Amino acid sequence: MSMLRVISILLLCFILINLFVGLFHLLRNKGDSNKVVRSLTIRVALLILLFVFILVAARFGAFPE
């Protein structure tokens, strides 16, 4: 497997884990905690990182035509 796929899959796994962590804090604390906001912030940052990573990889020809 190429390094591009490994990094993409790892980022997607981290995004999913963070999604469930945010859901856990939302249900446990009824949304009164800053942990939900922090989880959302981290998830959005990871999504942006994944998007930029895919754009850079496509720009430098990492995807076969």
Side-chain angles (χ1 to χ4, degrees), residues 14-15 17-23 25-26 29 31-47:
F14 288 143
I15 290 167
I17 289 169
N18 201 281
L19 178 68
F20 286 113
V21 167
L23 178 65
H25 289 300
L26 181 66
N29 297 329
D32 295 335
S33 175
N34 286 337
K35 293 179 182 179
V36 177
V37 175
R38 187 175 0 171
S39 176
L40 176 64
T41 304
I42 292 170
R43 195 175 83 224
V44 168
L46 287 172
L47 282 168

